[in-house]
Amino acid sequence: MNASSVRNCVNRRLLLIVVVVVVIVLFAWYSSNHEVLASNLFTETLSKEPDLESTAGINKTHITTVAVVYKKNSSILKSVNDEVNDSAIVQNHANIDATEDPGLELKRWESLQEERRKHLRNVCEQLNKTGDDHSHDFEKVAHNILVNKEYKLLYCYIAKAGSSNWRKVFMMLEGRGYKRPEDIPRKKIDYFHLPLLSDHLNQINIHDYHAFLFVKHPLDRLLSAWHNKFAERLFKNMIYVKKEIIKFTRFNGSNPATMDVGEIWFSEFLRYLTQSRHSSAHNEHWATYMEFCQPCRVPYEYIGKTENIVEESQFILNKTGAAAKVYFPRGRLLNPLHTSLTSDEIKSHWKTIPPGLFKATVDRYLNDFKVFGYPVPSSVEEYIGTLT
C-alpha cells in the first residue's frame, strides 16, 4: 500500500470518528432538552394557582397536562418523577382520568367532611352530657397547634399520623429556603421551631382560620409508635421513657441495676400506657386525640384520616389556596401503619396481647374511637380480622 492510500484510509477513519462524535453530541443535546422541557412543563403546572371556584383547587389544565405527559411518554414522566422524589402530586395526578370532572370529586370530599364533622359534634354532645369529655386547659393544647397566617391554617400535629410531612409543608409555607418538602432533613423537622397557636393566642381568632387534624386508627397508631420508638431503634429522647417502662413492668417501680435488659415488648408498652400514672405515659406519640387536640372544643373544619392521607392533604391545600405554594409530600407510605412491618408481623404482635390488656387499651382510647368513627373492637381476634 503506497503513502497516498495510507493517508486516504486514515482520513476516512478520522472522518468516521468525527461523524460518530457529532451524532453522540447531538443525541445528548436532544435528550437533555426534551427532559428539561418535560421538567419545566411539569414544574409550571405545579406552580399554577388553583381555580378554587370551578374545580375546588384542582386545576383542570393541570390534570390534563400531567396526564398527557404521562400517557405520551412514560420515560419522560419517570425522569420528572425522580426529580420530585415521587411526590404526592405525581402519585395523585398522574393517575387521574383527564376526562373526570374534578368538581364531582370535590363534592364527594366535602360531603365526607360534613359527615365527619356532624359525627364528631353528635358524639361530643353525648360525652358532654355524660361528663366524659375530659377537655384540658386550652392554652396547653394551643402548644400542639401549628399556625400559618398567610393561608390561615391551624394544624394539630398528632404524632404517628402524618405529622412529619405536615411539618415539612408548614416549613415550606414559612419560606425557609427549601425548594421541595422532600429536601428538608429529618433533624430539621424535629428541632426547627414553627409558629404555634400558643404564640399568638391574643392575636388570632381561631374561627377565622381553617383548623384541621389527621387521625389514624388508635390501635394502628400504638403499634406504629412502639415499633418506631423502641423496636426499630431507640431514640435518645426515648431512653428515659424506656427506663420508666422497665421500672414499672419488671422491677415494680424500682431502679434496675442495669439498663442492658433487651428490648421492650409490645405487651409491656401497652401495660405501661394503661396502668402507669407517670407523665411519660401521656407522651405526644401515644397521647389520646382527646387530650392532645381537644376535638370537642376546637372547631376543626377538616378532619383527615391517614388511610387516605395524600389525597385528603392535597384537598386541604387546594381548598385553602396553599397548594399555590406547596404540595403534600408522599413520604414513607409502606403500609397503613407507615412502618416496615408486614401484615403477618402486625398480626403476630397483637396476638401476644392478653384479652384483659387489650380491653384496657381499647378503654383508654375509647373516646378516640367514638369521636372519629372507628369501630370499637371487642377482642384481639375481631381487630386482627379487620387487618389486610
Side-chain angles (χ1 to χ4, degrees), residues 141-173:
V141 176
H143 286 281
N144 307 330
I145 299 178
L146 300 181
V147 175
N148 177 265
K149 289 187 175 182
E150 182 179 2
Y151 294 100
K152 294 187 177 299
L153 300 176
L154 296 177
Y155 166 57
C156 187
Y157 60 91
I158 295 174
K160 312 313 300 178
S163 61
S164 293
N165 280 339
W166 266 108
R167 282 175 177 273
K168 290 182 179 181
V169 168
F170 272 75
M171 289 179 71
M172 294 291 294
L173 293 177

Side-chain angles (χ1 to χ4, degrees), residues 163-194:
S163 61
S164 293
N165 280 339
W166 266 108
R167 282 175 177 273
K168 290 182 179 181
V169 168
F170 272 75
M171 289 179 71
M172 294 291 294
L173 293 177
E174 291 296 319
R176 298 300 174 178
Y178 294 99
K179 294 183 179 180
R180 309 173 307 170
E182 292 90 349
D183 295 335
I184 303 176
R186 173 65 200 221
K187 61 181 179 180
K188 292 290 185 181
I189 303 173
D190 294 333
Y191 299 109
F192 185 85
H193 177 74
L194 287 165

Side-chain angles (χ1 to χ4, degrees), residues 84-310:
V84 297
N85 196 24
D86 196 20
S87 70
I89 298 291
V90 176
Q91 181 200 32
N92 287 335
H93 294 170
N95 294 315
I96 292 178
D97 184 350
T99 63
E100 182 180 349
D101 183 2
L104 295 178
E105 190 67 12
L106 169 69
K107 291 178 181 178
R108 181 192 67 79
W109 187 75
E110 289 186 330
S111 176
L112 177 62
Q113 285 298 310
E114 180 54 36
E115 289 177 8
R116 290 176 182 174
R117 287 192 296 267
K118 183 178 179 180
H119 176 84
L120 185 148
R121 289 194 299 268
N122 291 338
V123 174
C124 286
E125 287 178 5
Q126 294 299 318
L127 294 177
N128 185 49
K129 290 178 181 178
T130 59
D132 290 329
D133 175 14
H134 303 295
S135 294
H136 296 261
D137 179 22
F138 181 73
E139 291 189 9
K140 179 180 178 181
V141 176
H143 286 281
N144 307 330
I145 299 178
L146 300 181
V147 175
N148 177 265
K149 289 187 175 182
E150 182 179 2
Y151 294 100
K152 294 187 177 299
L153 300 176
L154 296 177
Y155 166 57
C156 187
Y157 60 91
I158 295 174
K160 312 313 300 178
S163 61
S164 293
N165 280 339
W166 266 108
R167 282 175 177 273
K168 290 182 179 181
V169 168
F170 272 75
M171 289 179 71
M172 294 291 294
L173 293 177
E174 291 296 319
R176 298 300 174 178
Y178 294 99
K179 294 183 179 180
R180 309 173 307 170
E182 292 90 349
D183 295 335
I184 303 176
R186 173 65 200 221
K187 61 181 179 180
K188 292 290 185 181
I189 303 173
D190 294 333
Y191 299 109
F192 185 85
H193 177 74
L194 287 165
L196 297 170
L197 181 58
S198 56
D199 302 328
H200 306 280
L201 275 179
N202 298 324
Q203 308 167 23
I204 287 178
N205 182 350
I206 61 175
H207 297 281
D208 294 334
Y209 276 65
H210 306 287
F212 68 97
L213 77 171
F214 271 81
V215 296
K216 179 188 288 186
H217 189 291
L219 299 186
D220 291 352
R221 177 170 171 252
L222 287 180
L223 180 57
S224 177
W226 166 78
H227 185 256
N228 177 247
K229 299 302 179 183
F230 300 108
E232 282 187 317
R233 56 175 172 155
L234 181 63
F235 288 79
K236 289 184 178 180
N237 62 345
M238 287 292 138
I239 294 177
Y240 174 74
V241 179
K242 177 181 179 180
K243 179 179 179 180
E244 290 301 317
I245 295 176
I246 291 174
K247 283 171 56 178
F248 183 84
T249 59
R250 302 184 191 179
F251 296 92
N252 296 320
S254 301
N255 287 315
T258 175
M259 286 299 296
D260 187 19
V261 290
E263 67 178 86
I264 293 174
W265 300 108
F266 185 45
S267 58
E268 292 177 318
F269 174 69
L270 295 184
R271 184 181 155 203
Y272 180 74
L273 298 189
T274 56
Q275 299 177 15
S276 174
R277 296 182 179 274
H278 195 277
S279 60
S280 60
H282 298 271
N283 180 282
E284 67 178 53
H285 292 89
W286 43 81
T288 67
Y289 302 147
M290 297 295 287
E291 64 181 309
F292 195 78
C293 291
Q294 289 194 21
C296 289
R297 187 171 181 180
V298 179
Y300 291 104
E301 183 177 359
Y302 303 118
I303 301 168
K305 294 193 174 182
T306 60
E307 291 83 354
N308 197 28
I309 189 171
V310 175

